[in-house]
Amino acid sequence: MRASAEHLASAVDALLRRSELSREETQQRFEQALDVDRWRRLAPLASIGSGRWDDGEASSISDSAADREKRRLDEDGYFRLRQVFDSARIARMRCIVEAVRADGWPVAFAFVFDDFWTIARSPRIASFLGKALGEAYLQNTVVWAHWVPGERGVAGWSPHEDYRDVGDTFLSVWIPLSDATVENGCMFLLPGASSREISMATEERRDLPPTVFRRALQDVIALPASAGSMIGWRGDVLHWGGANTGGSEPRLSLALEFRARGAKASRFESPLIDPRAPLPPFRLRLFAIVKALREYTKFEPLLTRYLPLAERIFAETAEASLSSSNAPRAS
């Protein structure tokens, strides 16, 4: 007798739960997570709490590229900027992600290090984000790092929107730390009105008319991006990580989110921080990491094994989120 989809899902969930860290492992990891000196030893070339906004490594966006991509953002809801960041910086950040993963942590814990918070603070990046969101824009504390193995058939996150009905007040930014190609599963998206039509039909579980379906297939845009580029999209743009079709290299990337000042933000985004203020303190960084980890098991089920650890760190660092005064709180 063939097992139903519900039975299979239940069995998979049970296996994931059994793979959770033991009580002893959770305690050990909890103590290690709060030990800032241990993180510094893990990646000696990186810094935590240096107080610097930018270490002088250049980021480059020409005026013509900024104007072109701002028009694309206005018209189609996304942008793509090539070769923005200094290659030495990107190589260092990739080494940090690799060190975090080799030490048995979800790669999002790379966000304990300064590089992952300063990367979007250089003048050229700030200028572009200011044009997209208004000069007084804020960064929310939803951060993530991705590691998609270089194995055929493995895919990034499934199609989704970040936030619907936010207009031009929200922007998601995605920075590859390795080359993201069509072969190893680069980002794909549906621009403009197509995104809304498809996502509404999916949410309501209704069939699409054949004409809409065919048009949507032709509207899909692939966004291959070399390491150190920067791409992004508005909150209502349907996007996803492609499937590996034979690439042997893993895909590494990081994701940041920004809001127009004064716009209504979700509680999940809180607290918002001012990118012109000092870098977030260590405990707020941990809070941001585990806040996302608790949410993103829906995209990465293997993260379930870290949930007890995430809950403990979340409880331990929640006060850091309440005491953050860099920016107004979300509604």
Side-chain angles (χ1 to χ4, degrees), residues 9-62:
S10 178
V12 169
D13 184 65
L15 286 172
L16 289 171
R17 291 291 177 183
R18 281 202 291 271
S19 74
E20 287 180 356
L21 299 176
S22 68
R23 183 176 300 179
E24 293 75 17
E25 289 174 313
T26 298
Q27 178 62 30
Q28 181 184 43
R29 288 280 177 182
F30 174 74
E31 294 171 1
Q32 292 173 346
L34 296 173
D35 185 349
V36 64
D37 290 328
R38 187 181 187 280
W39 288 111
R40 291 183 175 125
R41 292 193 298 272
L42 182 64
L45 296 178
S47 63
I48 301 176
S50 68
R52 295 175 297 179
W53 288 14
D54 196 324
D55 56 8
E57 292 167 304
S59 58
S60 176
I61 304 175
S62 68

Side-chain angles (χ1 to χ4, degrees), residues 158 294-301:
S158 58
R294 294 162 80 228
E295 176 74 11
Y296 292 156
T297 55
K298 64 187 178 184
F299 294 115
E300 300 185 33

Side-chain angles (χ1 to χ4, degrees), residues 39 42-43 46 89-111 113 115-116 144-148 175-178 250-254:
W39 288 111
L42 182 64
R89 176 179 196 147
I90 293 299
R92 183 175 70 244
M93 294 177 72
R94 175 169 180 162
C95 288
I96 293 170
V97 171
E98 290 171 341
V100 168
R101 184 173 184 269
D103 200 44
W105 298 91
V107 292
F109 276 88
F111 272 91
F113 295 97
D115 270 315
F116 291 77
W144 199 245
H146 299 271
W147 179 295
V148 181
I175 301 170
L177 302 179
S178 63
R251 173 167 69 72
L252 286 67
S253 61
L254 63 100

Side-chain angles (χ1 to χ4, degrees), residues 19-207:
S19 74
E20 287 180 356
L21 299 176
S22 68
R23 183 176 300 179
E24 293 75 17
E25 289 174 313
T26 298
Q27 178 62 30
Q28 181 184 43
R29 288 280 177 182
F30 174 74
E31 294 171 1
Q32 292 173 346
L34 296 173
D35 185 349
V36 64
D37 290 328
R38 187 181 187 280
W39 288 111
R40 291 183 175 125
R41 292 193 298 272
L42 182 64
L45 296 178
S47 63
I48 301 176
S50 68
R52 295 175 297 179
W53 288 14
D54 196 324
D55 56 8
E57 292 167 304
S59 58
S60 176
I61 304 175
S62 68
D63 290 339
S64 60
D67 291 342
R68 180 190 68 238
E69 296 310 311
K70 176 56 168 59
R71 288 194 299 272
R72 194 198 305 267
L73 183 63
D74 291 341
E75 293 169 5
D76 296 321
Y78 77 99
F79 70 87
R80 57 193 308 174
L81 290 160
R82 295 178 172 86
Q83 297 300 324
V84 172
F85 300 101
D86 179 82
S87 59
R89 176 179 196 147
I90 293 299
R92 183 175 70 244
M93 294 177 72
R94 175 169 180 162
C95 288
I96 293 170
V97 171
E98 290 171 341
V100 168
R101 184 173 184 269
D103 200 44
W105 298 91
V107 292
F109 276 88
F111 272 91
V112 301
F113 295 97
D114 293 344
D115 270 315
F116 291 77
W117 296 93
T118 62
I119 192 165
R121 292 193 173 200
S122 69
R124 297 299 293 176
I125 304 300
S127 175
F128 181 79
L129 294 176
K131 290 176 182 177
L133 293 166
E135 293 300 326
Y137 70 89
L138 301 169
Q139 181 179 355
N140 70 26
T141 46
V142 178
V143 296
W144 199 245
H146 299 271
W147 179 295
V148 181
E151 301 171 11
R152 189 177 183 86
V154 177
W157 286 10
S158 58
H160 64 282
E161 301 166 302
D162 292 325
Y163 294 99
R164 190 176 296 171
D165 299 323
V166 293
D168 60 0
T169 69
F170 174 90
L171 193 64
S172 186
V173 170
W174 193 86
I175 301 170
L177 302 179
S178 63
D179 291 346
T181 67
V182 173
E183 288 74 25
N184 73 359
C186 66
M187 297 301 295
F188 290 78
L189 59 77
L190 266 175
S194 294
S195 272
R196 184 60 175 266
E197 197 165 8
I198 299 296
S199 61
M200 288 290 288
T202 302
E203 186 175 290
E204 297 168 5
R205 297 189 176 186
R206 57 178 169 82
D207 293 335

